[in-house]
Amino acid sequence: MADMILEIRHLSKSFGSHEVLRDIDFTVSKGDVTAIIGASGSGKSTLLRCINLLEIPTSGEILFHGKDVTGKGVNAPEYRSHVGMVFQSFNLFANMTVLENCVRGQVKVLKKSKAEAKDNALRHLQRVGMAPYINAKPRQLSGGQKQRVAIARALAMGPEVLLFDEPTSALDPEMVGEVLAVMQDLAAGGMTMLVVTHEMAFARDVSTQVVYMSEGVICEQGAPADVLEKPQMQQTKDFLARFRKG
Amino acid sequence: MNVFSKLIYDIGRLWGKYWGSYLNGVKNTLILAVVATAIGVVIGLVCGILNTIPCSKNDPLPKRVLLKVIRFIVRAYVEIFRGTPMVLQAVFIYYGLPYFSNNALRFSSVWAAAILVVSINTGAYMAESVRGGIISVDPGQTEGAMAIGMNHFQTMVNVILPQAFRNIIPQIGNNFIINIKDTSVMFIISFTEFFAFHQYITGVNNLYFPSAAIEMVGYLTMTLIASFLLRALEKRLDGSDNYELVSEDQLVMAAGTYNHPDRGTPFDERNPEYREKVRQELKYGRPKGDR
């Protein structure tokens, strides 16, 4: 594993006495598309937020290129600029236009020139099909459009990994497709992605690795064909059966 | 009717003789209110940033202690200046400074003292308004900014405070209008604002009611104009309700290499130019020289 980007070791997270994550272990290599599936409340989103240090893990290590980022004295903002995140609720900056949303971070965090940042932002906005909307404010866009801008904003920072926290769960059904299409395009382009999702078709067709979580632990992980078609654990079977029915 | 004509006569007399003083008072009041409100808002924003610096268990001990001290100071400042009358604060600071420094330090001008007192008083109120404004911004905005690697200061300045500022403009307006009126207590340190001139003028001629009528109209005019301007500012900050679609390509690329879902390539039937060309061809036939 020469191109190991993220290595999660014995990660645990508690909110007070409530243990949300227990002893999570897995690795992400360059180009991996990891789908994290599981019932609501199984800790998937918390895991993703821990990886981005939006939540501070209670114990365990997160190694980014072999370096632990959970210890004291780590520059969290610097680390986060290498790890993009796309939220369920978009979290586009409401006070900026679409273009400014994608430019501001590059200028302030990466210290790029305005012209260079704009050029780069336009390239990514074009990739997600939002280039015509650069002058719009987030409140004027549909959910699917907002999420595509959010993806462009994350991409514009040039991240090594992109984390997706249920990117299609807040969308109307007819808008899910446009966002999934963009994600599929990214995966095809070799982007390393970690996707918390309820879209089983996406997990099956696009991901290279599937992680099934239940009650704060990883029950099963492996190639999508193995986990989704031939699950070994009873919980996984039950979960997938519910999905097929529903 | 006799009384009213007398009133109008008296007002006319007062205005005719003292209009320069009244206008000078209006000018001083407005300058003091505008400057002090602006400084107060800045103080409030700074307090807001200081109050919301995140503090986690992972931070080193000195940083945590420092943050505790900063929060305590901000809190004490807000409580003290919100909890005492401004007229007293003016006396306290204006006479307190020479008293404590054995007359070595004193305010060189009454302007400096008045601006200082009204600013820190406004700042104490604005600190709480800003705190409310920051709380009212969706926490997702902070997460979005943090997720692209912004630190606390960058997040505040670029994302949170502009939105909080928009939310607290009504509060700023409130404070501004209160300041226009309440700077009248600055006569206590002999600052010559609008109301101070009323006192001088009536001290000479005893025309209390006609002068008060002029003052009433003057203050109301100032506050009405102020609230009108603030509404206009609010509207401006909200921006346009519409936006323009950018139809031409921002990145100039060779024909056929761009691909947009709604637009297609130039050779695609989804492409509007291509469609138009075909329509023209069907209508008028293929133009000569184009094959």
Side-chain angles (χ1 to χ4, degrees), chain A:
Chain A
M1 287 276 188
D3 280 344
M4 191 112 78
I5 293 182
L6 273 173
E7 196 176 347
I8 318 291
R9 280 193 197 155
H10 307 297
L11 187 79
S12 296
K13 172 72 187 172
S14 308
F15 291 110
S17 60
H18 179 53
E19 200 168 33
V20 186
L21 293 177
R22 236 177 318 145
D23 206 18
I24 302 286
D25 267 299
F26 74 97
T27 57
V28 175
S29 300
K30 194 166 164 50
D32 274 355
V33 178
T34 308
I36 304 174
I37 59 172
S40 294
S42 57
K44 312 178 299 279
S45 289
T46 309
L47 172 60
L48 216 60
R49 292 167 61 82
C50 278
I51 292 175
N52 207 7
L53 300 184
L54 286 175
E55 304 285 354
I56 306 297
T58 314
S59 66
E61 291 177 323
I62 298 167
L63 304 182
F64 182 66
H65 289 297
K67 265 188 237 138
D68 186 20
V69 295
T70 59
K72 292 187 183 193
V74 172
N75 187 348
E78 207 275 329
Y79 162 69
R80 288 198 197 101
S81 70
H82 299 291
V83 181
M85 178 129 179
V86 175
F87 298 88
Q88 182 177 356
S89 50
F90 328 123
N91 295 349
L92 289 179
F93 305 138
N95 55 323
M96 303 179 198
T97 65
V98 165
L99 184 63
E100 284 166 341
N101 260 282
C102 301
V103 166
R104 196 65 68 91
Q106 298 182 67
V107 172
K108 298 291 170 187
V109 179
L110 304 179
K111 312 288 178 204
K112 286 192 192 174
S113 75
K114 276 222 168 103
E116 191 189 356
K118 185 180 171 194
D119 212 53
N120 186 36
L122 284 171
R123 211 183 311 282
H124 291 292
L125 283 167
Q126 198 152 49
R127 182 166 186 188
V128 300
M130 287 301 292
Y133 297 88
I134 53 174
N135 295 327
K137 286 279 181 85
R139 66 185 145 91
Q140 296 160 327
L141 301 177
S142 73
Q145 290 174 327
K146 281 188 221 176
Q147 196 60 295
R148 285 188 281 148
V149 173
I151 292 173
R153 177 176 73 178
L155 284 174
M157 299 297 291
E160 291 177 56
V161 198
L162 256 189
L163 312 177
F164 290 84
D165 186 7
E166 302 198 23
T168 57
S169 299
L171 300 179
D172 290 338
E174 67 264 36
M175 291 171 184
V176 170
E178 65 189 56
V179 172
L180 288 180
V182 167
M183 291 167 65
Q184 196 159 1
D185 174 49
L186 289 179
M191 188 77 211
T192 313
M193 313 198 316
L194 228 71
V195 188
V196 168
T197 186
H198 291 293
E199 298 290 333
M200 288 306 145
F202 180 84
R204 189 185 57 229
D205 300 337
V206 181
S207 70
T208 57
Q209 171 179 219
V210 173
V211 172
Y212 171 68
M213 288 182 67
S214 173
E215 291 169 9
V217 295
I218 292 182
C219 274
E220 205 161 337
Q221 61 176 315
D226 294 336
V227 178
L228 297 176
E229 310 297 337
K230 299 176 289 236
Q232 304 297 311
M233 309 285 284
Q234 193 53 46
Q235 284 131 304
T236 322
K237 285 178 193 165
D238 291 348
F239 174 76
L240 291 171
R242 268 206 309 278
F243 246 93
R244 293 213 179 86
K245 260 186 255 157

Side-chain angles (χ1 to χ4, degrees), chain A residues 49 92 104 126 132 139, chain B residues 141 143 158 238 241 246 249:
Chain A
R49 292 167 61 82
L92 289 179
R104 196 65 68 91
Q126 198 152 49
R139 66 185 145 91
Chain B
Q141 298 284 310
E143 291 188 349
N158 289 291
D238 282 346
D241 286 337
V246 179
D249 245 302

Side-chain angles (χ1 to χ4, degrees), chain B residues 221-240:
Chain B
T221 310
M222 284 193 272
T223 52
L224 284 178
I225 292 173
S227 60
F228 173 80
L229 289 177
L230 285 157
R231 286 282 156 100
L233 173 69
E234 228 172 285
K235 223 171 185 171
R236 227 190 114 147
L237 280 185
D238 282 346
S240 152

